[in-house]
Protein backbone atom coordinates (compact mmCIF):
# COMPACT_ATOMS: atom_id res chain seq x y z
CA UNK A 1 0.00 0.00 0.00
CA UNK A 2 2.79 2.40 0.95
CA UNK A 3 4.60 1.59 -2.30
CA UNK A 4 1.46 2.25 -4.34
CA UNK A 5 1.03 5.60 -2.62
CA UNK A 6 4.53 6.63 -3.55
CA UNK A 7 3.97 5.66 -7.18
CA UNK A 8 0.75 7.66 -7.32
CA UNK A 9 2.41 10.72 -5.78
CA UNK A 10 5.27 10.51 -8.28
CA UNK A 11 2.81 10.24 -11.13
CA UNK A 12 0.87 13.25 -9.89
CA UNK A 13 4.10 15.28 -9.56
CA UNK A 14 5.16 14.33 -13.07
CA UNK A 15 1.75 15.25 -14.44
CA UNK A 16 1.83 18.64 -12.73
CA UNK A 17 5.41 19.34 -13.89
CA UNK A 18 4.71 18.37 -17.47
CA UNK A 19 1.50 20.34 -17.36
CA UNK A 20 3.34 23.44 -16.18
CA UNK A 21 5.98 22.97 -18.88
CA UNK A 22 3.30 22.54 -21.51
CA UNK A 23 1.55 25.67 -20.28
CA UNK A 24 4.66 27.81 -20.65
CA UNK A 25 5.28 26.26 -24.09
CA UNK A 26 1.77 26.70 -25.50
CA UNK A 27 1.51 27.70 -29.15
CA UNK A 28 -1.28 29.35 -31.14
CA UNK A 29 -1.99 26.47 -33.48
CA UNK A 30 -5.13 25.29 -31.66
CA UNK A 31 -5.87 28.57 -29.88
CA UNK A 32 -9.14 30.42 -30.32
CA UNK A 33 -7.00 33.59 -30.22
CA UNK A 34 -4.65 32.50 -32.98
CA UNK A 35 -5.39 35.48 -35.23
CA UNK A 36 -4.92 37.92 -32.36
CA UNK A 37 -1.64 36.27 -31.41
CA UNK A 38 -0.33 36.29 -34.98
CA UNK A 39 -1.28 39.93 -35.46
CA UNK A 40 0.38 40.94 -32.20
CA UNK A 41 3.41 38.87 -33.22
CA UNK A 42 3.73 40.68 -36.54
CA UNK A 43 3.31 44.14 -35.02
CA UNK A 44 5.79 43.68 -32.16
CA UNK A 45 8.41 42.07 -34.46
CA UNK A 46 8.31 45.04 -36.80
CA UNK A 47 8.40 47.50 -33.91
CA UNK A 48 11.35 45.67 -32.39
CA UNK A 49 13.27 45.89 -35.65
CA UNK A 50 12.61 49.62 -35.66
CA UNK A 51 13.69 49.84 -31.99
CA UNK A 52 10.28 51.15 -30.95
CA UNK A 53 10.53 49.26 -27.68
CA UNK A 54 7.37 50.67 -26.11
CA UNK A 55 5.14 49.55 -28.99
CA UNK A 56 6.99 46.28 -29.28
CA UNK A 57 6.53 45.50 -25.60
CA UNK A 58 2.81 46.29 -25.73
CA UNK A 59 2.13 43.80 -28.51
CA UNK A 60 4.72 41.29 -27.34
CA UNK A 61 2.76 40.94 -24.11
CA UNK A 62 -0.32 39.96 -26.13
CA UNK A 63 1.52 37.49 -28.34
CA UNK A 64 3.44 35.93 -25.47
CA UNK A 65 0.38 35.80 -23.21
CA UNK A 66 -1.55 33.78 -25.79
CA UNK A 67 1.25 31.62 -27.19
CA UNK A 68 4.64 31.65 -25.44
CA UNK A 69 6.15 29.38 -28.11
CA UNK A 70 4.42 31.10 -31.05
CA UNK A 71 3.72 28.36 -33.61
CA UNK A 72 5.69 25.78 -31.60
CA UNK A 73 8.61 25.84 -34.02
CA UNK A 74 10.46 28.95 -32.87
CA UNK A 75 11.55 30.66 -29.66
CA UNK A 76 11.08 34.29 -30.70
CA UNK A 77 8.56 35.13 -28.00
CA UNK A 78 11.10 34.06 -25.37
CA UNK A 79 14.21 35.64 -26.92
CA UNK A 80 12.48 38.84 -28.03
CA UNK A 81 10.94 39.19 -24.60
CA UNK A 82 14.41 38.83 -23.08
CA UNK A 83 15.62 41.63 -25.36
CA UNK A 84 12.75 43.88 -24.35
CA UNK A 85 13.32 43.34 -20.63
CA UNK A 86 17.04 43.94 -21.14
CA UNK A 87 16.25 47.32 -22.70
CA UNK A 88 13.93 48.14 -19.82
CA UNK A 89 16.67 47.21 -17.38
CA UNK A 90 19.17 49.49 -19.11
CA UNK A 91 16.92 52.55 -18.93
CA UNK A 92 15.27 51.98 -15.55
CA UNK A 93 16.55 53.84 -12.47
CA UNK A 94 14.36 52.23 -9.83
CA UNK A 95 16.37 49.36 -8.35
CA UNK A 96 13.31 47.29 -7.47
CA UNK A 97 12.00 47.45 -11.03
CA UNK A 98 15.47 46.75 -12.42
CA UNK A 99 15.61 43.58 -10.33
CA UNK A 100 12.20 42.52 -11.67
CA UNK A 101 13.24 43.15 -15.30
CA UNK A 102 16.46 41.24 -14.78
CA UNK A 103 14.65 38.25 -13.26
CA UNK A 104 12.03 38.18 -16.01
CA UNK A 105 14.52 38.62 -18.83
CA UNK A 106 16.70 35.72 -17.63
CA UNK A 107 13.73 33.48 -16.84
CA UNK A 108 12.44 33.83 -20.41
CA UNK A 109 15.65 32.27 -21.72
CA UNK A 110 15.36 29.52 -19.13
CA UNK A 111 11.77 28.91 -20.26
CA UNK A 112 12.85 28.67 -23.88
CA UNK A 113 15.50 26.10 -22.98
CA UNK A 114 12.94 24.16 -20.93
CA UNK A 115 10.55 24.12 -23.91
CA UNK A 116 13.25 22.68 -26.16
CA UNK A 117 14.04 20.01 -23.59
CA UNK A 118 10.33 19.04 -23.24
CA UNK A 119 9.73 19.22 -27.01
CA UNK A 120 7.37 22.13 -26.41
CA UNK A 121 9.33 23.78 -29.24
CA UNK A 122 10.41 21.53 -32.10
CA UNK A 123 12.25 24.16 -34.21
CA UNK A 124 11.51 23.75 -37.88
CA UNK A 125 15.17 23.94 -38.94
CA UNK A 126 16.11 20.92 -36.82
CA UNK A 127 13.74 18.31 -38.28
CA UNK A 128 13.71 16.56 -34.94
CA UNK A 129 17.53 16.17 -34.73
CA UNK A 130 18.70 16.39 -31.13
CA UNK A 131 22.13 17.77 -32.09
CA UNK A 132 20.40 20.70 -33.77
CA UNK A 133 18.20 21.31 -30.72
CA UNK A 134 21.25 21.12 -28.44
CA UNK A 135 23.06 23.67 -30.59
CA UNK A 136 20.14 26.09 -30.16
CA UNK A 137 20.08 25.49 -26.40
CA UNK A 138 23.81 26.20 -26.30
CA UNK A 139 23.30 29.39 -28.28
CA UNK A 140 20.58 30.58 -25.87
CA UNK A 141 22.71 29.73 -22.82
CA UNK A 142 25.65 31.63 -24.31
CA UNK A 143 23.59 34.72 -25.00
CA UNK A 144 22.10 34.53 -21.54
CA UNK A 145 25.59 34.28 -19.99
CA UNK A 146 26.74 37.26 -22.07
CA UNK A 147 23.93 39.43 -20.71
CA UNK A 148 24.48 38.13 -17.18
CA UNK A 149 28.13 39.12 -17.31
CA UNK A 150 28.08 42.40 -19.18
CA UNK A 151 24.68 43.91 -18.27
CA UNK A 152 23.00 42.20 -15.34
CA UNK A 153 26.14 41.81 -13.22
CA UNK A 154 24.90 38.41 -12.07
CA UNK A 155 26.92 36.44 -9.47
CA UNK A 156 29.71 34.59 -11.22
CA UNK A 157 28.57 31.19 -9.97
CA UNK A 158 25.27 31.61 -11.85
CA UNK A 159 26.92 32.99 -14.96
CA UNK A 160 29.41 30.14 -14.89
CA UNK A 161 26.57 27.61 -14.94
CA UNK A 162 25.13 29.26 -18.07
CA UNK A 163 28.55 29.30 -19.73
CA UNK A 164 29.07 25.62 -18.95
CA UNK A 165 25.72 24.79 -20.54
CA UNK A 166 26.62 26.88 -23.58
CA UNK A 167 29.87 25.00 -24.16
CA UNK A 168 28.35 21.61 -23.35
CA UNK A 169 25.43 21.99 -25.75
CA UNK A 170 27.08 24.02 -28.52
CA UNK A 171 30.33 22.12 -28.85
CA UNK A 172 32.30 23.41 -31.85
CA UNK A 173 29.42 25.75 -32.69
CA UNK A 174 29.96 27.85 -29.57
CA UNK A 175 29.75 31.58 -30.24
CA UNK A 176 32.95 33.58 -29.93
CA UNK A 177 31.22 36.06 -27.58
CA UNK A 178 31.42 33.63 -24.63
CA UNK A 179 35.23 33.29 -24.56
CA UNK A 180 36.11 36.58 -22.93
CA UNK A 181 33.55 36.49 -20.07
CA UNK A 182 34.27 32.79 -19.50
CA UNK A 183 38.00 33.50 -19.12
CA UNK A 184 37.37 36.46 -16.82
CA UNK A 185 35.23 34.35 -14.49
CA UNK A 186 37.67 31.41 -14.46
CA UNK A 187 40.52 33.74 -13.56
CA UNK A 188 38.50 35.39 -10.80
CA UNK A 189 37.26 32.10 -9.34
CA UNK A 190 40.77 30.61 -9.39
CA UNK A 191 42.36 33.64 -7.76
CA UNK A 192 39.68 33.61 -5.04
CA UNK A 193 40.27 29.91 -4.36
CA UNK A 194 36.82 28.90 -5.61
CA UNK A 195 38.19 26.80 -8.48
CA UNK A 196 41.12 24.38 -8.41
CA UNK A 197 43.86 24.41 -11.02
CA UNK A 198 42.76 21.16 -12.59
CA UNK A 199 39.35 22.58 -13.53
CA UNK A 200 40.79 25.96 -14.53
CA UNK A 201 43.37 24.27 -16.76
CA UNK A 202 40.69 22.04 -18.28
CA UNK A 203 38.53 25.04 -19.15
CA UNK A 204 41.51 26.86 -20.65
CA UNK A 205 42.30 23.88 -22.84
CA UNK A 206 38.67 23.34 -23.85
CA UNK A 207 38.04 26.97 -24.78
CA UNK A 208 41.26 27.19 -26.78
CA UNK A 209 40.37 23.95 -28.54
CA UNK A 210 37.00 25.42 -29.55
CA UNK A 211 38.56 28.69 -30.65
CA UNK A 212 41.20 26.92 -32.73
CA UNK A 213 38.59 24.74 -34.39
CA UNK A 214 36.63 27.79 -35.54
CA UNK A 215 39.72 29.69 -36.62
CA UNK A 216 40.57 26.76 -38.88
CA UNK A 217 37.08 25.78 -40.03
CA UNK A 218 34.80 28.82 -39.78
CA UNK A 219 35.94 30.93 -42.72
CA UNK A 220 33.20 33.50 -42.24
CA UNK A 221 33.93 34.28 -38.59
CA UNK A 222 37.55 33.09 -38.22
CA UNK A 223 38.86 36.59 -37.60
CA UNK A 224 36.34 37.15 -34.80
CA UNK A 225 37.42 33.90 -33.17
CA UNK A 226 41.08 34.97 -33.45
CA UNK A 227 40.34 38.24 -31.68
CA UNK A 228 38.23 36.50 -29.04
CA UNK A 229 40.97 33.92 -28.42
CA UNK A 230 43.58 36.65 -28.02
CA UNK A 231 41.43 38.57 -25.52
CA UNK A 232 40.63 35.37 -23.64
CA UNK A 233 44.25 34.29 -23.33
CA UNK A 234 45.31 37.75 -22.24
CA UNK A 235 43.08 37.18 -19.21
CA UNK A 236 44.27 33.60 -18.68
CA UNK A 237 47.85 34.87 -18.67
CA UNK A 238 47.29 36.15 -15.13
CA UNK A 239 46.95 32.62 -13.79
CA UNK A 240 48.89 30.46 -16.22
CA UNK A 241 51.82 30.20 -13.78
CA UNK A 242 49.45 28.76 -11.21
CA UNK A 243 47.56 26.27 -13.36
CA UNK A 244 50.18 24.90 -15.75
CA UNK A 245 53.27 22.76 -15.27
CA UNK A 246 56.66 22.69 -16.97
CA UNK A 247 55.50 20.75 -20.04
CA UNK A 248 52.91 23.40 -20.89
CA UNK A 249 55.48 26.18 -20.91
CA UNK A 250 57.98 24.11 -22.87
CA UNK A 251 55.32 23.57 -25.56
CA UNK A 252 54.33 27.24 -25.43
CA UNK A 253 57.84 28.68 -25.59
CA UNK A 254 59.44 26.32 -28.10
CA UNK A 255 57.84 27.98 -31.15
CA UNK A 256 59.02 31.37 -29.91
CA UNK A 257 62.57 30.04 -29.60
CA UNK A 258 62.51 28.22 -32.94
CA UNK A 259 61.27 31.35 -34.71
CA UNK A 260 64.31 33.33 -33.51
CA UNK A 261 66.90 30.85 -32.18
CA UNK A 262 69.73 33.40 -31.89
CA UNK A 263 67.82 35.99 -29.86
CA UNK A 264 69.58 36.21 -26.48
CA UNK A 265 66.70 38.06 -24.84
CA UNK A 266 64.37 35.21 -25.77
CA UNK A 267 66.88 32.75 -24.24
CA UNK A 268 66.88 34.71 -20.99
CA UNK A 269 63.09 34.94 -20.85
CA UNK A 270 62.62 31.24 -21.52
CA UNK A 271 65.20 30.19 -18.93
CA UNK A 272 63.62 32.43 -16.29
CA UNK A 273 60.10 31.18 -17.03
CA UNK A 274 61.01 27.48 -17.05
CA UNK A 275 62.94 27.78 -13.80
CA UNK A 276 60.06 29.67 -12.23
CA UNK A 277 57.81 26.76 -13.21
CA UNK A 278 60.22 24.36 -11.48
CA UNK A 279 61.30 22.62 -14.65
CA UNK A 280 63.96 20.05 -13.71
CA UNK A 281 67.55 20.81 -14.69
CA UNK A 282 67.44 17.62 -16.75
CA UNK A 283 64.75 19.02 -19.04
CA UNK A 284 66.30 18.80 -22.52
CA UNK A 285 64.83 22.08 -23.78
CA UNK A 286 66.00 23.99 -20.73
CA UNK A 287 69.44 22.33 -20.90
CA UNK A 288 69.83 23.25 -24.55
CA UNK A 289 69.04 26.92 -24.07
CA UNK A 290 71.02 27.24 -20.83
CA UNK A 291 74.05 25.73 -22.53
CA UNK A 292 73.80 28.18 -25.42
CA UNK A 293 73.25 31.10 -23.10
CA UNK A 294 76.16 30.20 -20.81
CA UNK A 295 78.54 29.84 -23.76
CA UNK A 296 77.45 33.14 -25.19
CA UNK A 297 77.61 34.87 -21.80
CA UNK A 298 81.13 33.53 -21.12
CA UNK A 299 82.39 34.70 -24.49
CA UNK A 300 80.68 38.06 -24.15
CA UNK A 301 81.98 38.62 -20.63
CA UNK A 302 85.51 37.68 -21.68
CA UNK A 303 85.32 40.12 -24.58
CA UNK A 304 83.94 42.88 -22.38
CA UNK A 305 86.56 42.21 -19.73
CA UNK A 306 89.32 42.37 -22.31
CA UNK A 307 87.91 45.60 -23.69
CA UNK A 308 87.56 47.03 -20.21
CA UNK A 309 91.08 46.07 -19.24
CA UNK A 310 92.46 47.45 -22.48
CA UNK A 311 90.94 50.81 -21.65
CA UNK A 312 91.90 50.57 -17.96
CA UNK A 313 95.66 49.93 -17.77
CA UNK A 314 95.63 50.56 -14.00
CA UNK A 315 93.54 47.41 -13.61
CA UNK A 316 96.03 45.42 -15.65
CA UNK A 317 98.81 46.92 -13.57
CA UNK A 318 97.18 45.60 -10.40
CA UNK A 319 96.74 42.15 -11.96
CA UNK A 320 100.39 42.10 -13.06
CA UNK A 321 101.48 43.15 -9.57
CA UNK A 322 99.41 40.44 -7.92
CA UNK A 323 100.94 37.85 -10.24
CA UNK A 324 104.50 38.99 -9.37
CA UNK A 325 105.20 40.73 -12.68
CA UNK A 326 106.49 43.98 -11.20
CA UNK A 327 108.14 45.23 -14.39
CA UNK A 328 104.91 44.68 -16.27
CA UNK A 329 102.97 46.37 -13.48
CA UNK A 330 105.24 49.41 -13.65
CA UNK A 331 104.76 49.63 -17.42
CA UNK A 332 100.97 49.48 -17.12
CA UNK A 333 100.94 52.12 -14.39
CA UNK A 334 102.95 54.34 -16.70
CA UNK A 335 100.29 53.81 -19.39
CA UNK A 336 97.59 54.73 -16.91
CA UNK A 337 99.51 57.87 -15.89
CA UNK A 338 99.96 58.96 -19.49
CA UNK A 339 96.26 58.48 -20.25
CA UNK A 340 94.85 60.05 -17.06
CA UNK A 341 93.68 63.66 -17.00
CA UNK A 342 92.30 63.73 -13.47
CA UNK A 343 95.14 64.91 -11.18
CA UNK A 344 93.96 62.97 -8.13
CA UNK A 345 93.78 59.68 -10.02
CA UNK A 346 97.05 60.46 -11.71
CA UNK A 347 98.67 61.06 -8.31
CA UNK A 348 97.42 57.66 -7.11
CA UNK A 349 98.88 55.88 -10.14
CA UNK A 350 102.17 57.77 -9.70
CA UNK A 351 102.35 56.73 -6.06
CA UNK A 352 101.73 53.07 -6.95
CA UNK A 353 104.45 53.24 -9.62
CA UNK A 354 106.88 54.87 -7.18
CA UNK A 355 106.21 52.16 -4.61
CA UNK A 356 106.97 49.42 -7.17
CA UNK A 357 110.10 51.19 -8.38
CA UNK A 358 111.33 51.49 -4.80
CA UNK A 359 110.23 48.34 -3.03
CA UNK A 360 110.29 45.80 -5.89
CA UNK A 361 112.66 47.13 -8.55
CA UNK A 362 115.07 49.00 -6.22
CA UNK A 363 115.22 51.97 -8.57
CA UNK A 364 115.55 54.60 -5.89
CA UNK A 365 116.18 57.70 -7.96
CA UNK A 366 113.33 56.89 -10.37
CA UNK A 367 111.07 56.09 -7.45
CA UNK A 368 111.84 59.41 -5.77
CA UNK A 369 111.16 61.38 -8.95
CA UNK A 370 107.86 59.57 -9.42
CA UNK A 371 106.86 60.20 -5.80
CA UNK A 372 107.65 63.87 -6.19
CA UNK A 373 105.48 63.98 -9.30
CA UNK A 374 102.64 62.37 -7.32
CA UNK A 375 102.97 65.08 -4.66
CA UNK A 376 102.75 67.80 -7.32
CA UNK A 377 99.50 66.39 -8.67
CA UNK A 378 97.94 66.13 -5.24
CA UNK A 379 99.05 68.94 -2.92
CA UNK A 380 99.01 68.35 0.85
CA UNK A 381 99.22 64.59 0.40
CA UNK A 382 101.68 63.13 2.85
CA UNK A 383 102.07 59.60 1.51
CA UNK A 384 104.59 60.45 -1.28
CA UNK A 385 106.88 62.08 1.29
CA UNK A 386 106.45 59.15 3.64
CA UNK A 387 107.53 56.89 0.79
CA UNK A 388 110.63 59.00 0.08
CA UNK A 389 111.43 58.88 3.79
CA UNK A 390 111.21 55.08 3.66
CA UNK A 391 113.54 55.10 0.64
CA UNK A 392 116.09 57.12 2.55
CA UNK A 393 115.78 55.09 5.70
CA UNK A 394 116.00 51.70 3.98
CA UNK A 395 119.01 52.72 1.86
CA UNK A 396 120.93 54.47 4.69
CA UNK A 397 123.25 51.50 5.33
CA UNK A 398 124.49 51.72 1.74
CA UNK A 399 125.43 55.38 2.10
CA UNK A 400 129.03 54.95 3.30
CA UNK A 401 130.37 55.02 6.84
CA UNK A 402 128.44 55.54 10.07
CA UNK A 403 128.39 59.33 9.87
CA UNK A 404 126.99 59.35 6.31
CA UNK A 405 124.48 56.67 7.18
CA UNK A 406 123.20 58.77 10.08
CA UNK A 407 122.87 61.81 7.83
CA UNK A 408 120.68 59.69 5.53
CA UNK A 409 118.51 58.96 8.55
CA UNK A 410 118.15 62.70 9.16
CA UNK A 411 117.01 63.08 5.52
CA UNK A 412 114.41 60.37 6.09
CA UNK A 413 113.23 62.03 9.31
CA UNK A 414 112.89 65.36 7.49
CA UNK A 415 110.52 63.73 5.01
CA UNK A 416 108.41 62.21 7.80
CA UNK A 417 108.13 65.56 9.55
CA UNK A 418 107.15 67.30 6.32
CA UNK A 419 104.57 64.60 5.55
CA UNK A 420 102.75 64.99 8.86
CA UNK A 421 102.95 68.78 8.70
CA UNK A 422 100.88 68.83 5.48
CA UNK A 423 98.74 65.74 6.03
CA UNK A 424 97.41 64.90 9.52
CA UNK A 425 96.21 61.51 8.27
CA UNK A 426 99.83 60.23 8.19
CA UNK A 427 100.86 61.78 11.51
CA UNK A 428 100.56 58.58 13.55
CA UNK A 429 102.68 56.57 11.13
CA UNK A 430 105.19 59.41 10.79
CA UNK A 431 105.61 59.63 14.58
CA UNK A 432 106.29 55.91 14.79
CA UNK A 433 108.95 56.20 12.11
CA UNK A 434 110.52 59.19 13.88
CA UNK A 435 110.59 57.31 17.17
CA UNK A 436 112.14 54.32 15.45
CA UNK A 437 114.97 56.34 13.88
CA UNK A 438 115.68 58.63 16.85
CA UNK A 439 118.50 56.35 18.06
CA UNK A 440 120.07 56.35 14.60
CA UNK A 441 120.62 60.10 14.45
CA UNK A 442 124.23 61.39 14.36
CA UNK A 443 126.25 61.14 17.56
CA UNK A 444 127.41 64.44 18.98
CA UNK A 445 131.08 63.27 19.50
CA UNK A 446 131.28 62.28 15.80
CA UNK A 447 130.16 65.71 14.83
CA UNK A 448 132.65 67.48 17.12
CA UNK A 449 135.45 65.43 15.63
CA UNK A 450 134.40 66.73 12.22
CA UNK A 451 133.86 70.26 13.44
CA UNK A 452 130.15 70.13 12.60
CA UNK A 453 127.95 72.09 14.96
CA UNK A 454 124.25 71.32 15.47
CA UNK A 455 122.12 73.19 12.95
CA UNK A 456 124.82 73.21 10.31
CA UNK A 457 123.61 72.33 6.81
CA UNK A 458 125.41 69.44 5.19
CA UNK A 459 124.85 67.40 2.04
CA UNK A 460 123.88 63.77 2.38
CA UNK A 461 126.05 61.49 0.28
CA UNK A 462 125.29 58.51 -1.97
CA UNK A 463 122.19 58.71 -4.22
CA UNK A 464 120.24 60.97 -1.83
CA UNK A 465 122.19 64.13 -2.45
CA UNK A 466 119.96 66.36 -0.31
CA UNK A 467 120.95 69.00 2.24
CA UNK A 468 120.01 68.48 5.90
CA UNK A 469 120.52 70.43 9.10
CA UNK A 470 122.54 68.38 11.53
CA UNK A 471 120.79 67.29 14.69
CA UNK A 472 122.24 65.02 17.32
CA UNK A 473 120.77 62.35 19.51
Amino acid sequence: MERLTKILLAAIFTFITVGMANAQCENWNDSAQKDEAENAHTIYRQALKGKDYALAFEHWQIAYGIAPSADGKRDYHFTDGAILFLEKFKTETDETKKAEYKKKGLSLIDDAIACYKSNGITRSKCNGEQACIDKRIGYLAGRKAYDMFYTYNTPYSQTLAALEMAVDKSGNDIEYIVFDPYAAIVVYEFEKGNMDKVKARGLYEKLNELANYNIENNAKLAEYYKQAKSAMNSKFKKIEDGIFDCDYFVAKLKPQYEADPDNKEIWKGIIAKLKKQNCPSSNSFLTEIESKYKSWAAATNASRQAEFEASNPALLAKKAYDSGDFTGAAAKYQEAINAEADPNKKATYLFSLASIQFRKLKKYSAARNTAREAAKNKPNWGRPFMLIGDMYGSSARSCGKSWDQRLAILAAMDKYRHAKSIDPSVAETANKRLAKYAKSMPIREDGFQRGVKEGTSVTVGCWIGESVKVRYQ
Side-chain angles (χ1 to χ4, degrees), residues 194-237:
N194 300 327
M195 182 182 294
D196 62 37
K197 69 178 183 180
V198 175
K199 182 172 182 179
R201 183 168 63 242
L203 289 171
Y204 170 94
E205 292 169 349
K206 181 63 177 177
L207 292 172
N208 271 274
E209 176 188 332
L210 294 172
N212 290 336
Y213 175 86
N214 281 279
I215 290 169
E216 294 171 10
N217 298 286
N218 191 334
K220 183 178 179 181
L221 299 174
E223 193 58 38
Y224 291 96
Y225 280 95
K226 282 182 183 179
Q227 294 174 10
K229 178 186 175 183
S230 177
M232 169 179 70
N233 287 335
S234 292
K235 287 183 169 60
F236 274 126
K237 189 175 179 63

Side-chain angles (χ1 to χ4, degrees), residues 304-355:
R304 288 175 178 172
Q305 183 66 17
E307 183 181 342
F308 177 75
E309 290 179 350
S311 59
N312 291 273
L315 180 63
L316 290 177
K318 179 66 168 57
K319 289 180 69 174
Y321 183 92
D322 291 341
S323 67
D325 179 10
F326 304 122
T327 300
K332 285 298 175 182
Y333 271 125
Q334 190 59 61
E335 283 185 30
I337 291 164
N338 294 340
E340 188 55 63
D342 183 273
N344 285 331
K345 289 183 179 179
K346 192 169 188 174
T348 300
Y349 299 153
L350 284 163
F351 180 83
S352 296
L353 174 59
S355 180

Side-chain angles (χ1 to χ4, degrees), residues 73-90:
K73 295 181 180 180
R74 44 189 157 174
D75 54 35
Y76 291 164
H77 289 181
F78 296 105
T79 56
D80 291 343
I83 292 171
L84 290 168
F85 279 108
L86 182 70
E87 292 301 323
K88 283 180 171 291
F89 178 88
K90 289 179 181 178

Side-chain angles (χ1 to χ4, degrees), residues 117-129:
K117 289 181 177 180
S118 68
N119 294 319
I121 302 176
T122 58
R123 192 163 175 78
S124 57
K125 293 181 180 180
C126 291
N127 295 318
E129 294 179 7

Side-chain angles (χ1 to χ4, degrees), residues 364-374 391:
Y364 295 109
S365 293
R368 178 173 60 184
N369 290 338
T370 304
R372 286 172 175 169
E373 191 66 25
M391 294 180 205

Side-chain angles (χ1 to χ4, degrees), residues 36 38-39 88 96 102 139 155 162 192 227 320 334 376 455:
E36 184 181 354
E38 286 182 329
N39 288 335
K88 283 180 171 291
T96 301
K102 170 183 175 181
Y139 169 85
K192 294 298 182 181
Q227 294 174 10
Q334 190 59 61
K376 288 180 182 178

Side-chain angles (χ1 to χ4, degrees), residues 244-253 273-275 277-280 283 285-286:
F244 289 111
D245 56 15
C246 175
D247 291 341
Y248 164 83
F249 286 97
V250 168
K252 178 182 179 180
L253 298 172
K273 175 60 75 174
L274 294 185
K275 287 191 171 182
Q277 295 308 123
N278 296 316
C279 285
N283 181 278
F285 182 51
L286 176 59

Side-chain angles (χ1 to χ4, degrees), residues 428-440:
E428 183 178 354
T429 303
N431 289 333
K432 288 180 180 179
R433 298 276 204 284
L434 290 169
K436 172 186 172 182
Y437 286 125
K439 294 181 180 179
S440 298

